[in-house]
């Protein structure tokens, strides 16, 4: 059976599950679907929902924040509105020197559309993209 038959969930390592909870639940507003242990850490992991199903497995780990790459992307209908809501919740939009950003921190996406980036407290990077 091919892997395409199964749901896919991104796993995100964080250094402090409490700080991660404040970000993912408090600032991004993601619902907790499940919480439990992570390795030897009681209550060190969360599964968050997005788009109607499980989307992110967030767990405490010493490897947190070790990649500069974008780890997951939300595809949204109204990027301006989402960025405004996140900024109002205290989320910083990441700006990269190699891109031209508008006042909100949004940049044209290669091939059309637009993109913005955010980071969690460990520097894990997420993209927000729209086709318009």
């Amino acid at each position: 059976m091919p892997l395409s038959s199964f749901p896919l969930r991104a796993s995100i390592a964080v250094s402090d599950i409490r700080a991660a909870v404040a970000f993912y639940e408090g600032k991004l507003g993601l619902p907790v679907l499940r919480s439990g242990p992570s390795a030897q850490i009681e209550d060190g992991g969360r599964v968050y929902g997005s788009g109607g199903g499980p989307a992110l497995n967030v767990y405490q780990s010493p490897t947190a924040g070790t990649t500069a790459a974008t780890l997951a992307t939300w595809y949204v209908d109204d990027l301006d509105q989402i960025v405004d809501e996140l900024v109002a919740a205290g989320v910083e939009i990441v700006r990269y020197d190699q891109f031209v950003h508008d006042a909100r921190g949004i940049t044209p996406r290669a091939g059309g559309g637009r993109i913005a980036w955010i980071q969690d407290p460990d520097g894990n990077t997420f993209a927000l993209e729209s086709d318009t």
Side-chain angles (χ1 to χ4, degrees):
M1 186 173 292
L3 285 178
S4 61
S5 301
F6 302 96
L8 179 66
R9 182 180 335 159
S11 290
I12 310 299
V14 298
S15 63
D16 179 345
I17 194 67
R18 287 176 183 77
V21 164
F23 178 79
Y24 289 98
E25 295 171 35
K27 293 186 178 185
L28 300 188
L30 297 179
V32 179
L33 302 180
R34 191 168 48 251
S35 65
S38 173
Q40 303 299 319
I41 303 161
E42 186 176 332
D43 202 34
R46 302 282 188 287
V47 174
Y48 291 107
S50 187
L56 291 177
N57 177 42
V58 176
Y59 63 99
Q60 190 163 315
S61 169
T63 64
T66 58
T67 182
T70 300
L71 297 176
T73 302
W74 277 278
Y75 294 93
V76 301
D77 294 329
D78 188 338
L79 185 57
D80 295 304
Q81 178 182 348
I82 296 295
V83 165
D84 288 347
E85 290 172 1
L86 289 172
V87 168
V91 177
E92 184 177 330
I93 303 303
V94 178
R95 296 171 187 260
Y96 295 102
D97 291 339
Q98 67 266 36
F99 298 115
V100 175
H101 301 274
D102 69 12
R104 286 184 169 94
I106 300 170
T107 189
R109 183 181 66 191
R114 300 180 312 142
I115 187 169
W117 292 272
I118 61 173
Q119 292 179 332
D120 75 2
D122 286 293
N124 292 312
T125 302
F126 299 90
L128 311 163
E129 292 190 27
S130 71
D131 290 332
T132 58

